[in-house]
Amino acid sequence: MNLLEFARGPAFQFSLIVFVFGVVWRLTGTFLMYRRRDLSRPRRDRLVPAGFRSILMRSVPDHELEKRIVFQHVSGYAWHIAFFVSLLLFGPHLPFFQQFLGFGWPTLPNTIALLAGALALAILFALLWRRFTRPVMRLLSKPDDYISIVLTMLPLITGFMAYARVMPFGMRYETILALHLLSFCALLVWFPFGKLMHLFLAFPSRFQAGVLLQRKGVKA
């Protein structure tokens, strides 16, 4: 078994198992935290609409706060969208997903998907640079922040190398492709245990916050 076969087979299977079980474990633990019955009388009703309102309102910062976090706000949405466009709508990726899902979907022209990947990578570099160069952000940053950014960047970097057939140190194309797959496997393994898990936790936590505040009579 060579490196590419290992990446396509055991490595991906292992990382997918860790990803699925890790996500289920984290979500289960999160929802079990709210199993306790609240015996107090709610000061307001319409809890579910309040939860959805909280999702909407907390996804868009207040105007005064927006002035100070324009870059973080815009770049955050932009790199998420660009990353998933390059992941899910890039033609060469589709056979990989079809192999496991058994179905496919329309893809974008390669040029557009590559531009989306380049945008995501550029924004991630900028965010990483800000963490290194801004004293306050450097003080607030933890290893999880750096690991999450780097592990998200690696599939993009190795993907561009594989597509452009850039062969550093005399590597074969199969080796670069294997490194691309292994970097994606590393991202899947880290996902449930780092801040990347916010992809699944952000909306439920905002919904729950809205419900709890509505019960207390606070408009979220």
Side-chain angles (χ1 to χ4, degrees):
M1 179 184 295
N2 58 33
L3 186 61
L4 182 56
E5 291 172 341
F6 171 75
R8 285 175 168 171
F12 181 73
Q13 293 170 4
F14 171 77
S15 62
L16 190 60
I17 291 172
V18 173
F19 172 78
V20 172
F21 277 90
V23 168
V24 171
W25 174 66
R26 289 289 306 274
L27 290 177
T28 302
T30 300
F31 288 116
L32 287 177
M33 291 174 59
Y34 301 104
R35 287 185 61 190
R36 289 187 306 171
R37 184 180 178 185
D38 192 342
L39 300 178
S40 64
R41 178 179 298 177
R43 297 188 177 183
R44 290 183 180 178
D45 55 4
R46 298 180 57 82
L47 301 183
V48 173
F52 284 110
R53 182 181 183 278
S54 178
I55 292 176
L56 178 62
M57 298 304 296
R58 291 170 186 263
S59 298
V60 181
D62 291 336
H63 178 68
E64 291 301 320
L65 179 61
E66 175 72 14
K67 295 177 182 179
R68 298 179 178 273
I69 62 167
V70 173
F71 177 79
Q72 297 96 313
H73 185 205
V74 174
S75 63
Y77 279 106
W79 90 255
H80 280 83
I81 294 172
F83 180 85
F84 284 105
V85 166
S86 64
L87 173 65
L88 300 176
L89 301 180
F90 185 39
H93 287 166
L94 188 59
F96 179 78
F97 289 111
Q98 286 178 316
Q99 176 184 355
F100 296 96
L101 300 177
F103 61 90
W105 49 81
T107 59
L108 293 172
N110 287 352
T111 302
I112 296 178
L114 288 170
L115 287 174
L119 175 62
L121 186 58
I123 294 174
L124 288 170
F125 268 117
L127 293 174
L128 186 61
W129 178 255
R130 283 169 61 88
R131 288 192 180 275
F132 275 124
T133 58
R134 301 216 169 183
V136 175
M137 294 191 67
R138 189 167 61 247
L139 181 64
L140 295 175
S141 297
K142 298 180 179 180
D144 184 7
D145 296 292
Y146 296 108
I147 294 173
S148 296
I149 293 177
V150 170
L151 288 181
T152 306
M153 292 168 59
L154 286 178
L156 293 167
I157 295 172
T158 54
F160 279 113
M161 293 173 63
Y163 185 81
R165 294 184 178 270
V166 176
M167 313 297 177
F169 311 110
M171 292 183 181
R172 300 172 57 198
Y173 171 74
E174 290 78 8
T175 303
I176 298 297
L177 185 57
L179 293 177
H180 178 52
L181 291 173
L182 290 173
S183 65
F184 182 64
C185 291
L187 179 63
L188 289 179
V189 170
W190 177 255
F191 193 101
F193 310 106
K195 289 189 174 180
L196 297 174
M197 187 62 191
H198 75 269
L199 178 67
F200 293 102
L201 295 178
F203 289 160
S205 63
R206 292 171 187 175
F207 180 87
Q208 187 66 30
V211 170
L212 292 177
L213 291 173
Q214 181 77 355
R215 284 186 61 89
K216 296 177 180 179
V218 179
K219 187 175 181 180

PDB file of all heavy atoms in Angstrom, residues 188-220:
ATOM      1  N   LEU A 188     -10.607  16.905   9.372  1.00  0.00           N
ATOM      2  CA  LEU A 188     -11.780  16.180   9.863  1.00  0.00           C
ATOM      3  C   LEU A 188     -11.571  15.691  11.303  1.00  0.00           C
ATOM      4  O   LEU A 188     -12.478  15.762  12.129  1.00  0.00           O
ATOM      5  CB  LEU A 188     -12.082  14.985   8.952  1.00  0.00           C
ATOM      6  CG  LEU A 188     -12.643  15.278   7.568  1.00  0.00           C
ATOM      7  CD1 LEU A 188     -12.846  13.980   6.795  1.00  0.00           C
ATOM      8  CD2 LEU A 188     -13.958  16.049   7.651  1.00  0.00           C
ATOM      9  N   VAL A 189     -10.369  15.183  11.604  1.00  0.00           N
ATOM     10  CA  VAL A 189     -10.090  14.672  12.944  1.00  0.00           C
ATOM     11  C   VAL A 189     -10.121  15.795  13.974  1.00  0.00           C
ATOM     12  O   VAL A 189     -10.647  15.638  15.078  1.00  0.00           O
ATOM     13  CB  VAL A 189      -8.730  13.948  12.968  1.00  0.00           C
ATOM     14  CG1 VAL A 189      -8.304  13.630  14.399  1.00  0.00           C
ATOM     15  CG2 VAL A 189      -8.783  12.665  12.141  1.00  0.00           C
ATOM     16  N   TRP A 190      -9.578  16.949  13.625  1.00  0.00           N
ATOM     17  CA  TRP A 190      -9.517  18.068  14.578  1.00  0.00           C
ATOM     18  C   TRP A 190     -10.872  18.742  14.743  1.00  0.00           C
ATOM     19  O   TRP A 190     -11.167  19.302  15.816  1.00  0.00           O
ATOM     20  CB  TRP A 190      -8.492  19.089  14.091  1.00  0.00           C
ATOM     21  CG  TRP A 190      -8.411  20.308  14.951  1.00  0.00           C
ATOM     22  CD1 TRP A 190      -8.907  21.548  14.677  1.00  0.00           C
ATOM     23  CD2 TRP A 190      -7.807  20.414  16.252  1.00  0.00           C
ATOM     24  NE1 TRP A 190      -8.650  22.421  15.709  1.00  0.00           N
ATOM     25  CE2 TRP A 190      -7.978  21.741  16.683  1.00  0.00           C
ATOM     26  CE3 TRP A 190      -7.140  19.508  17.074  1.00  0.00           C
ATOM     27  CZ2 TRP A 190      -7.497  22.182  17.904  1.00  0.00           C
ATOM     28  CZ3 TRP A 190      -6.679  19.949  18.304  1.00  0.00           C
ATOM     29  CH2 TRP A 190      -6.860  21.268  18.699  1.00  0.00           C
ATOM     30  N   PHE A 191     -11.706  18.671  13.728  1.00  0.00           N
ATOM     31  CA  PHE A 191     -12.940  19.454  13.667  1.00  0.00           C
ATOM     32  C   PHE A 191     -13.793  19.367  14.935  1.00  0.00           C
ATOM     33  O   PHE A 191     -14.169  20.401  15.506  1.00  0.00           O
ATOM     34  CB  PHE A 191     -13.762  19.015  12.442  1.00  0.00           C
ATOM     35  CG  PHE A 191     -14.888  19.926  12.101  1.00  0.00           C
ATOM     36  CD1 PHE A 191     -14.780  20.843  11.069  1.00  0.00           C
ATOM     37  CD2 PHE A 191     -16.079  19.883  12.820  1.00  0.00           C
ATOM     38  CE1 PHE A 191     -15.833  21.690  10.758  1.00  0.00           C
ATOM     39  CE2 PHE A 191     -17.124  20.732  12.516  1.00  0.00           C
ATOM     40  CZ  PHE A 191     -17.006  21.631  11.479  1.00  0.00           C
ATOM     41  N   PRO A 192     -14.149  18.175  15.418  1.00  0.00           N
ATOM     42  CA  PRO A 192     -15.075  18.128  16.568  1.00  0.00           C
ATOM     43  C   PRO A 192     -14.476  18.626  17.877  1.00  0.00           C
ATOM     44  O   PRO A 192     -15.230  18.897  18.818  1.00  0.00           O
ATOM     45  CB  PRO A 192     -15.410  16.625  16.686  1.00  0.00           C
ATOM     46  CG  PRO A 192     -14.957  16.004  15.413  1.00  0.00           C
ATOM     47  CD  PRO A 192     -13.801  16.825  14.946  1.00  0.00           C
ATOM     48  N   PHE A 193     -13.156  18.738  17.943  1.00  0.00           N
ATOM     49  CA  PHE A 193     -12.509  19.028  19.218  1.00  0.00           C
ATOM     50  C   PHE A 193     -11.959  20.453  19.311  1.00  0.00           C
ATOM     51  O   PHE A 193     -11.422  20.835  20.349  1.00  0.00           O
ATOM     52  CB  PHE A 193     -11.386  18.017  19.469  1.00  0.00           C
ATOM     53  CG  PHE A 193     -11.830  16.601  19.275  1.00  0.00           C
ATOM     54  CD1 PHE A 193     -11.453  15.883  18.162  1.00  0.00           C
ATOM     55  CD2 PHE A 193     -12.666  15.996  20.199  1.00  0.00           C
ATOM     56  CE1 PHE A 193     -11.879  14.574  17.971  1.00  0.00           C
ATOM     57  CE2 PHE A 193     -13.102  14.696  20.034  1.00  0.00           C
ATOM     58  CZ  PHE A 193     -12.707  13.974  18.909  1.00  0.00           C
ATOM     59  N   GLY A 194     -12.082  21.215  18.241  1.00  0.00           N
ATOM     60  CA  GLY A 194     -11.585  22.579  18.233  1.00  0.00           C
ATOM     61  C   GLY A 194     -12.700  23.574  17.980  1.00  0.00           C
ATOM     62  O   GLY A 194     -13.890  23.235  17.992  1.00  0.00           O
ATOM     63  N   LYS A 195     -12.313  24.808  17.718  1.00  0.00           N
ATOM     64  CA  LYS A 195     -13.296  25.865  17.505  1.00  0.00           C
ATOM     65  C   LYS A 195     -14.036  25.727  16.183  1.00  0.00           C
ATOM     66  O   LYS A 195     -15.050  26.397  15.979  1.00  0.00           O
ATOM     67  CB  LYS A 195     -12.605  27.227  17.576  1.00  0.00           C
ATOM     68  CG  LYS A 195     -12.158  27.600  18.980  1.00  0.00           C
ATOM     69  CD  LYS A 195     -11.677  29.028  19.062  1.00  0.00           C
ATOM     70  CE  LYS A 195     -11.377  29.413  20.516  1.00  0.00           C
ATOM     71  NZ  LYS A 195     -10.908  30.807  20.630  1.00  0.00           N
ATOM     72  N   LEU A 196     -13.545  24.867  15.308  1.00  0.00           N
ATOM     73  CA  LEU A 196     -14.260  24.637  14.058  1.00  0.00           C
ATOM     74  C   LEU A 196     -15.641  24.056  14.301  1.00  0.00           C
ATOM     75  O   LEU A 196     -16.522  24.159  13.439  1.00  0.00           O
ATOM     76  CB  LEU A 196     -13.448  23.699  13.159  1.00  0.00           C
ATOM     77  CG  LEU A 196     -12.087  24.228  12.695  1.00  0.00           C
ATOM     78  CD1 LEU A 196     -11.326  23.144  11.942  1.00  0.00           C
ATOM     79  CD2 LEU A 196     -12.255  25.459  11.814  1.00  0.00           C
ATOM     80  N   MET A 197     -15.840  23.480  15.461  1.00  0.00           N
ATOM     81  CA  MET A 197     -17.135  22.888  15.800  1.00  0.00           C
ATOM     82  C   MET A 197     -18.236  23.931  15.840  1.00  0.00           C
ATOM     83  O   MET A 197     -19.422  23.596  15.846  1.00  0.00           O
ATOM     84  CB  MET A 197     -17.013  22.167  17.143  1.00  0.00           C
ATOM     85  CG  MET A 197     -18.225  21.353  17.546  1.00  0.00           C
ATOM     86  SD  MET A 197     -18.600  20.019  16.397  1.00  0.00           S
ATOM     87  CE  MET A 197     -20.217  19.525  17.009  1.00  0.00           C
ATOM     88  N   HIS A 198     -17.878  25.212  15.839  1.00  0.00           N
ATOM     89  CA  HIS A 198     -18.898  26.258  15.848  1.00  0.00           C
ATOM     90  C   HIS A 198     -19.798  26.178  14.620  1.00  0.00           C
ATOM     91  O   HIS A 198     -20.902  26.717  14.615  1.00  0.00           O
ATOM     92  CB  HIS A 198     -18.251  27.645  15.927  1.00  0.00           C
ATOM     93  CG  HIS A 198     -17.621  28.103  14.648  1.00  0.00           C
ATOM     94  ND1 HIS A 198     -16.307  27.862  14.351  1.00  0.00           N
ATOM     95  CD2 HIS A 198     -18.120  28.777  13.582  1.00  0.00           C
ATOM     96  CE1 HIS A 198     -16.020  28.380  13.165  1.00  0.00           C
ATOM     97  NE2 HIS A 198     -17.103  28.923  12.671  1.00  0.00           N
ATOM     98  N   LEU A 199     -19.340  25.484  13.572  1.00  0.00           N
ATOM     99  CA  LEU A 199     -20.178  25.306  12.387  1.00  0.00           C
ATOM    100  C   LEU A 199     -21.498  24.630  12.764  1.00  0.00           C
ATOM    101  O   LEU A 199     -22.553  24.951  12.200  1.00  0.00           O
ATOM    102  CB  LEU A 199     -19.434  24.462  11.347  1.00  0.00           C
ATOM    103  CG  LEU A 199     -20.197  24.148  10.062  1.00  0.00           C
ATOM    104  CD1 LEU A 199     -20.434  25.418   9.263  1.00  0.00           C
ATOM    105  CD2 LEU A 199     -19.451  23.124   9.216  1.00  0.00           C
ATOM    106  N   PHE A 200     -21.458  23.703  13.725  1.00  0.00           N
ATOM    107  CA  PHE A 200     -22.662  23.005  14.156  1.00  0.00           C
ATOM    108  C   PHE A 200     -23.277  23.603  15.420  1.00  0.00           C
ATOM    109  O   PHE A 200     -24.462  23.386  15.689  1.00  0.00           O
ATOM    110  CB  PHE A 200     -22.347  21.526  14.422  1.00  0.00           C
ATOM    111  CG  PHE A 200     -21.985  20.742  13.193  1.00  0.00           C
ATOM    112  CD1 PHE A 200     -20.667  20.441  12.924  1.00  0.00           C
ATOM    113  CD2 PHE A 200     -22.961  20.325  12.307  1.00  0.00           C
ATOM    114  CE1 PHE A 200     -20.323  19.714  11.790  1.00  0.00           C
ATOM    115  CE2 PHE A 200     -22.635  19.599  11.167  1.00  0.00           C
ATOM    116  CZ  PHE A 200     -21.312  19.296  10.908  1.00  0.00           C
ATOM    117  N   LEU A 201     -22.494  24.325  16.193  1.00  0.00           N
ATOM    118  CA  LEU A 201     -22.976  24.811  17.491  1.00  0.00           C
ATOM    119  C   LEU A 201     -23.475  26.247  17.465  1.00  0.00           C
ATOM    120  O   LEU A 201     -24.204  26.658  18.375  1.00  0.00           O
ATOM    121  CB  LEU A 201     -21.863  24.687  18.538  1.00  0.00           C
ATOM    122  CG  LEU A 201     -21.404  23.279  18.889  1.00  0.00           C
ATOM    123  CD1 LEU A 201     -20.266  23.338  19.903  1.00  0.00           C
ATOM    124  CD2 LEU A 201     -22.550  22.450  19.436  1.00  0.00           C
ATOM    125  N   ALA A 202     -23.088  27.022  16.457  1.00  0.00           N
ATOM    126  CA  ALA A 202     -23.402  28.458  16.477  1.00  0.00           C
ATOM    127  C   ALA A 202     -24.905  28.713  16.517  1.00  0.00           C
ATOM    128  O   ALA A 202     -25.407  29.413  17.400  1.00  0.00           O
ATOM    129  CB  ALA A 202     -22.772  29.136  15.262  1.00  0.00           C
ATOM    130  N   PHE A 203     -25.649  28.154  15.575  1.00  0.00           N
ATOM    131  CA  PHE A 203     -27.088  28.432  15.514  1.00  0.00           C
ATOM    132  C   PHE A 203     -27.856  27.831  16.686  1.00  0.00           C
ATOM    133  O   PHE A 203     -28.722  28.503  17.266  1.00  0.00           O
ATOM    134  CB  PHE A 203     -27.662  27.961  14.186  1.00  0.00           C
ATOM    135  CG  PHE A 203     -27.234  28.809  13.018  1.00  0.00           C
ATOM    136  CD1 PHE A 203     -27.298  28.315  11.733  1.00  0.00           C
ATOM    137  CD2 PHE A 203     -26.766  30.098  13.213  1.00  0.00           C
ATOM    138  CE1 PHE A 203     -26.905  29.097  10.650  1.00  0.00           C
ATOM    139  CE2 PHE A 203     -26.368  30.891  12.144  1.00  0.00           C
ATOM    140  CZ  PHE A 203     -26.438  30.385  10.851  1.00  0.00           C
ATOM    141  N   PRO A 204     -27.592  26.564  17.090  1.00  0.00           N
ATOM    142  CA  PRO A 204     -28.294  26.050  18.278  1.00  0.00           C
ATOM    143  C   PRO A 204     -28.031  26.869  19.535  1.00  0.00           C
ATOM    144  O   PRO A 204     -28.948  27.089  20.339  1.00  0.00           O
ATOM    145  CB  PRO A 204     -27.742  24.622  18.420  1.00  0.00           C
ATOM    146  CG  PRO A 204     -27.338  24.234  17.040  1.00  0.00           C
ATOM    147  CD  PRO A 204     -26.818  25.496  16.425  1.00  0.00           C
ATOM    148  N   SER A 205     -26.788  27.325  19.728  1.00  0.00           N
ATOM    149  CA  SER A 205     -26.483  28.104  20.931  1.00  0.00           C
ATOM    150  C   SER A 205     -27.183  29.462  20.890  1.00  0.00           C
ATOM    151  O   SER A 205     -27.666  29.950  21.923  1.00  0.00           O
ATOM    152  CB  SER A 205     -24.969  28.286  21.067  1.00  0.00           C
ATOM    153  OG  SER A 205     -24.437  29.017  19.978  1.00  0.00           O
ATOM    154  N   ARG A 206     -27.260  30.070  19.715  1.00  0.00           N
ATOM    155  CA  ARG A 206     -27.967  31.349  19.609  1.00  0.00           C
ATOM    156  C   ARG A 206     -29.464  31.167  19.831  1.00  0.00           C
ATOM    157  O   ARG A 206     -30.117  32.003  20.473  1.00  0.00           O
ATOM    158  CB  ARG A 206     -27.707  31.970  18.233  1.00  0.00           C
ATOM    159  CG  ARG A 206     -26.266  32.421  18.031  1.00  0.00           C
ATOM    160  CD  ARG A 206     -26.010  32.829  16.596  1.00  0.00           C
ATOM    161  NE  ARG A 206     -24.586  33.108  16.391  1.00  0.00           N
ATOM    162  CZ  ARG A 206     -24.048  33.402  15.207  1.00  0.00           C
ATOM    163  NH1 ARG A 206     -24.809  33.462  14.127  1.00  0.00           N
ATOM    164  NH2 ARG A 206     -22.746  33.643  15.115  1.00  0.00           N
ATOM    165  N   PHE A 207     -29.994  30.081  19.303  1.00  0.00           N
ATOM    166  CA  PHE A 207     -31.413  29.785  19.519  1.00  0.00           C
ATOM    167  C   PHE A 207     -31.696  29.591  21.006  1.00  0.00           C
ATOM    168  O   PHE A 207     -32.652  30.140  21.544  1.00  0.00           O
ATOM    169  CB  PHE A 207     -31.799  28.530  18.734  1.00  0.00           C
ATOM    170  CG  PHE A 207     -33.237  28.127  18.893  1.00  0.00           C
ATOM    171  CD1 PHE A 207     -34.209  28.655  18.065  1.00  0.00           C
ATOM    172  CD2 PHE A 207     -33.618  27.227  19.878  1.00  0.00           C
ATOM    173  CE1 PHE A 207     -35.548  28.289  18.211  1.00  0.00           C
ATOM    174  CE2 PHE A 207     -34.949  26.856  20.047  1.00  0.00           C
ATOM    175  CZ  PHE A 207     -35.909  27.388  19.208  1.00  0.00           C
ATOM    176  N   GLN A 208     -30.851  28.804  21.671  1.00  0.00           N
ATOM    177  CA  GLN A 208     -31.050  28.531  23.093  1.00  0.00           C
ATOM    178  C   GLN A 208     -30.932  29.807  23.923  1.00  0.00           C
ATOM    179  O   GLN A 208     -31.702  30.014  24.870  1.00  0.00           O
ATOM    180  CB  GLN A 208     -30.033  27.501  23.577  1.00  0.00           C
ATOM    181  CG  GLN A 208     -30.248  27.021  24.995  1.00  0.00           C
ATOM    182  CD  GLN A 208     -31.535  26.225  25.146  1.00  0.00           C
ATOM    183  OE1 GLN A 208     -31.973  25.579  24.194  1.00  0.00           O
ATOM    184  NE2 GLN A 208     -32.140  26.278  26.310  1.00  0.00           N
ATOM    185  N   ALA A 209     -29.985  30.668  23.564  1.00  0.00           N
ATOM    186  CA  ALA A 209     -29.841  31.932  24.288  1.00  0.00           C
ATOM    187  C   ALA A 209     -31.101  32.784  24.147  1.00  0.00           C
ATOM    188  O   ALA A 209     -31.562  33.403  25.120  1.00  0.00           O
ATOM    189  CB  ALA A 209     -28.620  32.691  23.771  1.00  0.00           C
ATOM    190  N   GLY A 210     -31.655  32.817  22.949  1.00  0.00           N
ATOM    191  CA  GLY A 210     -32.872  33.585  22.728  1.00  0.00           C
ATOM    192  C   GLY A 210     -34.047  33.054  23.533  1.00  0.00           C
ATOM    193  O   GLY A 210     -34.831  33.825  24.105  1.00  0.00           O
ATOM    194  N   VAL A 211     -34.182  31.733  23.606  1.00  0.00           N
ATOM    195  CA  VAL A 211     -35.266  31.119  24.376  1.00  0.00           C
ATOM    196  C   VAL A 211     -35.120  31.425  25.862  1.00  0.00           C
ATOM    197  O   VAL A 211     -36.088  31.808  26.532  1.00  0.00           O
ATOM    198  CB  VAL A 211     -35.285  29.594  24.138  1.00  0.00           C
ATOM    199  CG1 VAL A 211     -36.231  28.916  25.116  1.00  0.00           C
ATOM    200  CG2 VAL A 211     -35.712  29.290  22.713  1.00  0.00           C
ATOM    201  N   LEU A 212     -33.913  31.251  26.402  1.00  0.00           N
ATOM    202  CA  LEU A 212     -33.691  31.486  27.827  1.00  0.00           C
ATOM    203  C   LEU A 212     -33.932  32.950  28.204  1.00  0.00           C
ATOM    204  O   LEU A 212     -34.538  33.238  29.245  1.00  0.00           O
ATOM    205  CB  LEU A 212     -32.254  31.077  28.192  1.00  0.00           C
ATOM    206  CG  LEU A 212     -31.946  29.585  28.120  1.00  0.00           C
ATOM    207  CD1 LEU A 212     -30.472  29.319  28.435  1.00  0.00           C
ATOM    208  CD2 LEU A 212     -32.838  28.788  29.065  1.00  0.00           C
ATOM    209  N   LEU A 213     -33.473  33.848  27.358  1.00  0.00           N
ATOM    210  CA  LEU A 213     -33.690  35.271  27.663  1.00  0.00           C
ATOM    211  C   LEU A 213     -35.164  35.645  27.550  1.00  0.00           C
ATOM    212  O   LEU A 213     -35.661  36.470  28.313  1.00  0.00           O
ATOM    213  CB  LEU A 213     -32.833  36.129  26.718  1.00  0.00           C
ATOM    214  CG  LEU A 213     -31.327  36.058  26.960  1.00  0.00           C
ATOM    215  CD1 LEU A 213     -30.569  36.814  25.868  1.00  0.00           C
ATOM    216  CD2 LEU A 213     -30.971  36.610  28.326  1.00  0.00           C
ATOM    217  N   GLN A 214     -35.873  35.048  26.606  1.00  0.00           N
ATOM    218  CA  GLN A 214     -37.295  35.321  26.461  1.00  0.00           C
ATOM    219  C   GLN A 214     -38.073  34.844  27.687  1.00  0.00           C
ATOM    220  O   GLN A 214     -38.984  35.530  28.154  1.00  0.00           O
ATOM    221  CB  GLN A 214     -37.822  34.611  25.203  1.00  0.00           C
ATOM    222  CG  GLN A 214     -39.307  34.836  24.919  1.00  0.00           C
ATOM    223  CD  GLN A 214     -39.605  36.188  24.313  1.00  0.00           C
ATOM    224  OE1 GLN A 214     -38.725  37.025  24.184  1.00  0.00           O
ATOM    225  NE2 GLN A 214     -40.847  36.387  23.927  1.00  0.00           N
ATOM    226  N   ARG A 215     -37.682  33.706  28.228  1.00  0.00           N
ATOM    227  CA  ARG A 215     -38.340  33.220  29.453  1.00  0.00           C
ATOM    228  C   ARG A 215     -38.159  34.199  30.604  1.00  0.00           C
ATOM    229  O   ARG A 215     -39.039  34.346  31.454  1.00  0.00           O
ATOM    230  CB  ARG A 215     -37.759  31.861  29.873  1.00  0.00           C
ATOM    231  CG  ARG A 215     -38.231  30.677  29.053  1.00  0.00           C
ATOM    232  CD  ARG A 215     -37.701  29.387  29.661  1.00  0.00           C
ATOM    233  NE  ARG A 215     -38.195  29.211  31.016  1.00  0.00           N
ATOM    234  CZ  ARG A 215     -39.337  28.601  31.333  1.00  0.00           C
ATOM    235  NH1 ARG A 215     -40.092  28.101  30.375  1.00  0.00           N
ATOM    236  NH2 ARG A 215     -39.706  28.473  32.588  1.00  0.00           N
ATOM    237  N   LYS A 216     -37.000  34.872  30.627  1.00  0.00           N
ATOM    238  CA  LYS A 216     -36.713  35.810  31.719  1.00  0.00           C
ATOM    239  C   LYS A 216     -37.278  37.199  31.448  1.00  0.00           C
ATOM    240  O   LYS A 216     -37.070  38.123  32.239  1.00  0.00           O
ATOM    241  CB  LYS A 216     -35.207  35.896  31.936  1.00  0.00           C
ATOM    242  CG  LYS A 216     -34.593  34.571  32.394  1.00  0.00           C
ATOM    243  CD  LYS A 216     -33.085  34.696  32.514  1.00  0.00           C
ATOM    244  CE  LYS A 216     -32.489  33.375  32.956  1.00  0.00           C
ATOM    245  NZ  LYS A 216     -30.982  33.457  33.075  1.00  0.00           N
ATOM    246  N   GLY A 217     -37.907  37.365  30.283  1.00  0.00           N
ATOM    247  CA  GLY A 217     -38.484  38.660  29.949  1.00  0.00           C
ATOM    248  C   GLY A 217     -37.515  39.626  29.326  1.00  0.00           C
ATOM    249  O   GLY A 217     -37.789  40.827  29.246  1.00  0.00           O
ATOM    250  N   VAL A 218     -36.381  39.113  28.856  1.00  0.00           N
ATOM    251  CA  VAL A 218     -35.375  39.967  28.217  1.00  0.00           C
ATOM    252  C   VAL A 218     -35.465  39.807  26.720  1.00  0.00           C
ATOM    253  O   VAL A 218     -35.487  38.677  26.207  1.00  0.00           O
ATOM    254  CB  VAL A 218     -33.956  39.602  28.700  1.00  0.00           C
ATOM    255  CG1 VAL A 218     -32.919  40.478  28.011  1.00  0.00           C
ATOM    256  CG2 VAL A 218     -33.872  39.739  30.216  1.00  0.00           C
ATOM    257  N   LYS A 219     -35.521  40.899  26.005  1.00  0.00           N
ATOM    258  CA  LYS A 219     -35.593  40.847  24.547  1.00  0.00           C
ATOM    259  C   LYS A 219     -34.190  40.632  23.986  1.00  0.00           C
ATOM    260  O   LYS A 219     -33.315  41.475  24.118  1.00  0.00           O
ATOM    261  CB  LYS A 219     -36.164  42.150  23.999  1.00  0.00           C
ATOM    262  CG  LYS A 219     -36.419  42.107  22.493  1.00  0.00           C
ATOM    263  CD  LYS A 219     -37.093  43.390  22.028  1.00  0.00           C
ATOM    264  CE  LYS A 219     -37.378  43.335  20.532  1.00  0.00           C
ATOM    265  NZ  LYS A 219     -38.026  44.581  20.049  1.00  0.00           N
ATOM    266  N   ALA A 220     -33.940  39.465  23.359  1.00  0.00           N
ATOM    267  CA  ALA A 220     -32.610  39.112  22.858  1.00  0.00           C
ATOM    268  C   ALA A 220     -32.408  39.675  21.471  1.00  0.00           C
ATOM    269  O   ALA A 220     -33.323  39.733  20.677  1.00  0.00           O
ATOM    270  CB  ALA A 220     -32.438  37.604  22.830  1.00  0.00           C
TER     271      ALA A 220
END
